C-alpha cells in the first residue's frame, strides 16, 4: 500500500516554526533558538519547534501561577467539567490530524496512534470531566480535650502549579494522564513534552485554547531535559511535579524537587514478568504475550519483556511467538499496511541493537528477529525479536530495553517462579496466563507490581489506578487515587462554644 498523504490541516500546522504556548499566547522562545523534529521512518527533519530555556520556564510558571490565583480559581466545578467535555469533543473532531502528527513524530502506525492514543485521550479527558463536582471533603467527629463543642471538616484544594514532564512513547495520552487531573482539580500546568515528540502537545494546546480554557491554565514548553526540564523541576514556584520517563531521570527529578519540597509523582521504567502456566490456553497466551511486547515497537513502560513459560509448554509457545513475530509488517507508520513502525530515534535504535548484540555474546539463543529489516533504509526499524535465555543470565533478562525484544525463560516450580518474577528492582506490571482460578489469584497476590493482568496485558482504564512498586515510581495515576495527588487536604476546626 502507499504512504498516506499528509492532511492539509497537518501541512498547515507544520508549515511555520512552532512557538511556545505561555499565558494563552504563542510566543517566541527567549533563546531565539529552534530545533528540528525528525521523522523516524525516514530520518528526515520535517518541522521546527522552539527551544525553551530557563527564562521561558520562569515566564510559564508565572503565567500558571497567575491563572491559578486569578481567572481559574473563579471557575466553578460545573464549568470546569463543561470545558473539559468541550476539549474531549475537539480532540475527537481533530482525531485524524492528531493521529497523523503522532505517527510522523513518533513513528507508530497511524491506526495505533488514532485508536491507541487519540481515542484514549478523549476518553481520559471525559472521565476526568466527571470529577470536578465530586471532589469532596468530609466532616469528622473529633474529641477535643476540654469537651467544648467543635466542628471539624476538611476542604480539598488544588495543589497549585504543576510541572508535567512526559516521554515520547505515548506523546498525546501521557499529556492526558496528567492534564486530566490538573483540570479536574483546578490546578494549572506547565507541560514539557519529550524533545522527540513536541508537536502533538502543541496541537493539543491549540485545542485547549479553542475549548475556552482560560489563559495560563495550561502552558507548553518544547525543549530539552537539561535546559527546560531541569529548571522546571527545580523551580521554587512549582507546587507539584508529575513525571513519566526513565528511572534515571526520575531520580534527578526527585532530587530537584527537594529544594522547595514540591509534591512528586513518578511513573518510571519496568521489566515486567509475564507468566504462562501449563494449563493456559497457549494459543491465546502466546498471542497476548506477543502483543504485550511488540505493541508500540516494545516502547512501553509495561512491556511484557520477561516471559516465563512452563517447561511443558515451552516449545509450543516459542512456535506461536515465532508465528506472531513473522506476521508483523514492519515499515513506515503512515503506510496503512504496516503493523509496526520504526523505533523513535537513531539513539533508541542503537540502544536496542546494543542489547541484541550483548545478548548474543552472553549466550542467549536467538529464536527470531534481531536485526533491522533489510528492505528498509533510512528509518530506525527493528524486527520483532524473541530470545530464549535458559540460564536467565543475559542482560536482556534484567535490564529495560524499550524495544521489541522479549526474553523467554522456562520454569518448573511455582514458588521459585514467583521469586524469580519478583527478583527485579522494578515493579510496574506483571501478568499470568492460566485457567486455574486459584493459581491466578494466588500468584497475583504475590507479584510485586502495580498492575497485574490475568489472561490479558496492557489493560489500562482511566477509572483504575496505575503506577509502580519499587523503582518503577511513586504514587498512582488514574482513578480516584490520582485526585489525592493533585489536591491538598485542609482540616478546619471551629470552636462552637
Ligand atoms: P527520559 O529521558 O527519562 O525523558 C522523559 C522526559 O524527561 C522527557 O521530556 C525528557 O526531556 C525529560 N528530561 C530529561 N532529562 C531531564 C532532567 N534532567 N530534568 C527534567 N526533565 C528531564 O525518558 P525517555 O527517553 O523519554 O523514555 C524512555 C524511558 O522512559 C524508558 O526507560 C521507560 O521505562 C520510561 N517510560 C516510563 C513510562 C511509565 O509510565 N512508567 C512511560 C514511558 C516511558 P528530553 O526529551 O529532552 O530528554
Ligand atoms: Mg531522554
Amino acid at each position: 500500500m502507499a504512504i498516506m498523504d499528509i492532511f492539509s490541516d497537518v501541512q498547515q500546522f507544520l508549515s511555520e516554526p512552532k512557538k511556545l504556548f505561555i499565558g494563552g499566547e504563542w510566543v517566541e522562545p527567549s533563546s531565539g533558538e529552534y530545533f528540528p523534529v525528525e521523522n523516524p521512518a525516514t530520518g528526515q527533519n520535517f518541522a521546527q519547534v522552539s527551544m525553551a530555556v530557563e527564562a521561558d520556564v520562569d515566564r510559564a510558571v508565572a503565567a500558571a501561577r497567575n491563572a491559578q490565583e486569578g481567572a481559574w480559581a473563579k471557575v466553578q466545578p460545573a464549568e470546569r467539567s463543561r470545558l473539559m467535555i468541550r476539549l474531549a469533543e475537539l480532540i475527537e473532531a481533530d482525531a485524524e490530524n492528531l493521529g497523523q502528527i503522532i505517527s510522523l513524530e513518533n513513528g507508530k502506525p497511524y491506526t495505533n496512534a488514532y485508536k491507541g492514543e487519540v481515542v484514549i485521550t478523549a476518553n481520559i479527558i471525559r472521565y476526568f470531566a466527571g470529577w470536578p463536582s465530586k471532589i469532596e471533603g468530609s466532616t469528622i467527629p473529633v474529641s477535643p480535650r476540654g469537651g467544648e463543642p467543635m466542628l471539624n471538616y476538611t476542604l480539598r484544594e488544588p495543589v497549585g502549579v504543576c510541572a508535567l514532564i512526559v516521554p515520547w512513547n505515548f506523546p498525546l495520552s501521557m499529556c492526558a494522564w496528567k492534564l486530566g487531573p490538573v483540570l479536574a482539580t483546578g490546578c494549572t500546568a506547565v507541560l514539557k513534552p519529550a524533545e522527540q515528540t513536541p508537536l502533538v502537545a502543541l496541537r493539543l494546546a491549540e485545542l485547549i485554547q479553542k475549548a475556552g480554557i482560560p489563559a495560563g491554565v495550561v502552558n507548553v514548553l518544547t525543549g530539552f531535559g537539561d535546559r527546560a526540564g531541569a529548571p522546571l523541576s527545580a523551580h521554587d514556584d512549582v507546587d507539584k511535579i508529575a513525571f513519566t520517563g526513565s528511572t534515571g531521570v526520575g531520580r534527578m527529578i526527585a532530587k530537584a524537587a527537594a529544594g522547595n519540597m514540591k509534591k512528586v509523582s513518578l511513573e518510571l521504567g519496568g521489566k515486567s514478568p509475564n507468566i504462562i502456566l501449563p494449563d493456559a490456553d497457549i494459543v491465546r497466551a502466546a498471542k497476548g504475550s506477543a502483543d504485550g511486547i511488540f505493541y508500540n515497537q516494545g516502547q512501553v513502560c509495561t512491556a511484557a519483556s520477561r516471559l516465563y513459560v512452563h517447561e511443558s509448554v515451552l516449545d509450543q509457545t516459542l512456535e506461536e511467538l515465532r508465528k506472531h513475530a513473522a506476521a508483523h509488517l514492519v515499515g513506515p507508520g503512515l503506510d496503512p499496511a504496516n503493523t509496526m513502525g520504526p523505533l523513535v530515534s537513531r539513539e533508541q535504535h542503537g540502544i536496542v541493537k546494543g542489547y541484541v548484540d550483548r545478548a548474543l555474546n552472553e549466550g542467549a539463543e536467538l529464536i527470531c528477529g534481531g536485526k533491522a529489516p533489510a528492505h528498509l533504509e533510512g528509518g530506525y526499524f527493528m524486527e520483532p525479536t524473541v530470545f530464549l535465555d535458559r540460564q536467565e543470565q543475559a542482560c536482556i533478562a534484567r535490564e529495560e530495553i524499550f524495544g521489541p525484544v522479549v526474553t523467554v525463560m522456562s520454569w518448573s516450580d511455582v514458588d521459585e517462579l514467583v521469586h524469580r518474577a519478583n527478583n527485579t528492582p522494578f515493579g510496574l506490571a506483571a501478568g499470568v496466563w492460566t485457567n486455574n482460578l486459584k493459581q491466578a489469584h494466588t500468584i497475583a497476590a504475590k507479584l510485586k507490581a502495580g498492575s497485574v493482568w490475568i489472561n490479558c496485558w496492557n489493560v489500562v482504564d482511566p477509572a483504575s489506578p496505575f503506577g509502580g512498586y519499587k523503582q518503577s515510581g511513586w504514587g498512582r495515576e488514574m482513578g480516584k487515587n490520582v485526585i489525592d495527588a493533585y489536591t491538598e487536604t485542609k482540616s478546619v476546626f471551629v470552636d462552637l462554644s
Side-chain angles (χ1 to χ4, degrees):
M1 258 192 253
I3 301 271
M4 292 167 79
D5 289 332
I6 306 297
F7 302 134
S8 59
D9 283 356
V10 175
Q11 280 180 21
Q12 202 193 339
F13 175 75
L14 299 175
S15 62
E16 299 271 327
K18 306 307 293 179
K19 295 181 179 174
L20 302 172
F21 186 58
I22 300 179
E25 288 174 15
W26 295 93
V27 300
E28 304 279 351
S30 58
S31 66
E33 293 172 55
Y34 291 80
F35 64 97
V37 185
E38 186 184 24
N39 177 347
T42 62
Q44 307 285 312
N45 295 336
F46 68 98
Q48 295 284 324
V49 299
S50 295
M51 174 74 80
V53 295
E54 189 165 359
D56 304 304
V57 171
D58 289 340
R59 281 200 287 171
V61 171
R65 174 65 60 199
N66 203 24
Q68 181 70 54
E69 287 173 4
W72 194 226
K74 298 192 189 83
V75 175
Q76 294 194 335
E79 175 64 3
R80 290 209 302 277
S81 290
R82 194 192 67 76
L83 290 167
M84 293 175 76
I85 289 166
R86 177 84 185 114
L87 175 60
E89 288 166 354
L90 290 171
I91 290 167
E92 281 160 352
D94 201 40
E96 293 180 350
N97 298 326
L98 290 163
Q100 207 171 52
I101 292 167
I102 293 169
S103 185
L104 276 170
E105 62 182 349
N106 166 282
K108 68 180 72 185
Y110 170 78
T111 309
N112 292 4
Y114 188 102
K115 288 193 196 153
E117 284 223 68
V118 184
V119 172
I120 281 179
T121 291
N123 288 347
I124 291 170
I125 299 295
R126 271 184 211 288
Y127 167 79
F128 282 106
W131 266 105
S133 54
K134 297 164 194 74
I135 302 170
E136 301 172 335
S138 48
T139 55
I140 300 169
V142 291
S143 308
R145 281 209 205 136
E148 58 273 40
M150 192 77 70
L151 169 66
N152 176 235
Y153 60 89
T154 58
L155 294 172
R156 304 288 297 279
E157 298 175 352
V159 71
V161 175
C162 303
L164 314 178
I165 300 184
V166 297
W168 42 258
N169 57 343
F170 291 94
L172 179 62
S173 53
M174 283 293 127
C175 298
W177 280 44
K178 293 171 171 49
L179 286 174
V182 160
L183 297 172
T185 54
C187 290
T188 60
V190 178
L191 168 69
K192 194 207 90 64
E195 65 191 62
Q196 298 86 348
T197 55
L199 293 167
V200 77
L202 296 172
R203 185 74 178 183
L204 180 64
E206 291 184 356
L207 303 177
I208 285 169
Q209 194 175 24
K210 205 167 159 189
I213 291 170
V217 172
V218 179
N219 306 273
V220 181
L221 298 180
T222 53
F224 289 179
D226 53 352
R227 296 178 74 184
L232 182 58
S233 48
H235 204 289
D236 276 343
D237 204 30
V238 169
D239 300 298
K240 174 190 164 59
I241 183 156
F243 170 79
T244 297
S246 60
T247 296
V249 174
R251 209 168 270 123
M252 291 162 77
I253 297 224
K255 283 188 187 142
N260 71 336
M261 290 293 172
K262 56 177 70 67
K263 311 292 179 264
V264 182
S265 51
L266 303 171
E267 298 288 353
L268 308 175
K271 189 71 190 174
S272 299
N274 180 23
I275 297 164
I276 299 185
L277 267 60
D279 68 280
D281 174 343
I282 300 302
V283 170
R284 183 174 160 192
K287 170 81 169 74
S289 302
D291 290 346
I293 184 67
F294 299 140
Y295 184 67
N296 217 38
Q297 295 72 248
Q299 301 167 131
V300 184
C301 50
T302 52
S305 55
R306 286 191 290 148
L307 178 56
Y308 289 100
V309 184
H310 190 266
E311 59 185 7
S312 65
V313 291
L314 180 64
D315 290 345
Q316 189 192 351
T317 305
L318 287 175
E319 198 40 52
E320 290 289 321
L321 288 175
R322 204 183 273 124
K323 239 172 24 196
H324 291 300
H328 271 291
L329 286 175
V330 181
L334 288 183
D335 180 338
N338 292 326
T339 57
M340 273 176 77
L343 300 178
V344 75
S345 62
R346 181 183 298 277
E347 182 191 2
Q348 192 65 19
H349 192 267
I351 292 170
V352 176
K353 194 72 188 56
Y355 272 111
V356 168
D357 295 343
R358 260 176 79 190
L360 291 169
N361 283 334
E362 290 170 353
E365 198 179 315
L366 183 66
I367 303 296
C368 62
K371 348 181 258 312
H375 65 289
L376 294 167
E377 278 176 13
Y380 309 126
F381 297 97
M382 185 75 198
E383 291 172 344
T385 300
V386 180
F387 273 105
L388 178 63
D389 183 11
R390 292 184 191 274
Q391 310 304 322
E392 198 167 344
Q393 292 289 334
C395 59
I396 53 165
R398 293 186 306 275
E399 293 175 29
E400 182 172 54
I401 301 172
F402 233 57
V405 181
V406 62
T407 309
V408 182
M409 293 155 293
S410 66
W411 62 275
S412 53
D413 174 78
V414 76
D415 293 327
E416 192 206 7
L417 163 75
V418 169
H419 173 76
R420 286 165 67 190
N422 285 333
N423 187 18
T424 164
F426 297 113
L428 195 58
V432 184
W433 300 84
T434 181
N435 286 311
N436 181 325
L437 204 59
K438 183 176 154 189
Q439 284 279 37
H441 294 291
T442 305
I443 295 175
K446 288 181 178 167
L447 289 168
K448 293 189 165 51
S451 294
V452 176
W453 290 303
I454 297 172
N455 293 330
C456 57
W457 195 275
N458 269 345
V459 184
V460 176
D461 190 286
S464 183
F466 178 93
Y469 282 41
K470 300 192 263 182
Q471 293 181 30
S472 288
W474 286 350
R476 293 293 178 270
E477 295 193 293
M478 305 295 208
K480 63 182 176 197
N481 303 64
V482 77
I483 300 298
D484 291 342
Y486 286 82
T487 50
E488 294 279 16
T489 302
K490 179 181 284 173
S491 175
V492 181
F493 287 90
V494 187
D495 186 336
L496 299 175
S497 61

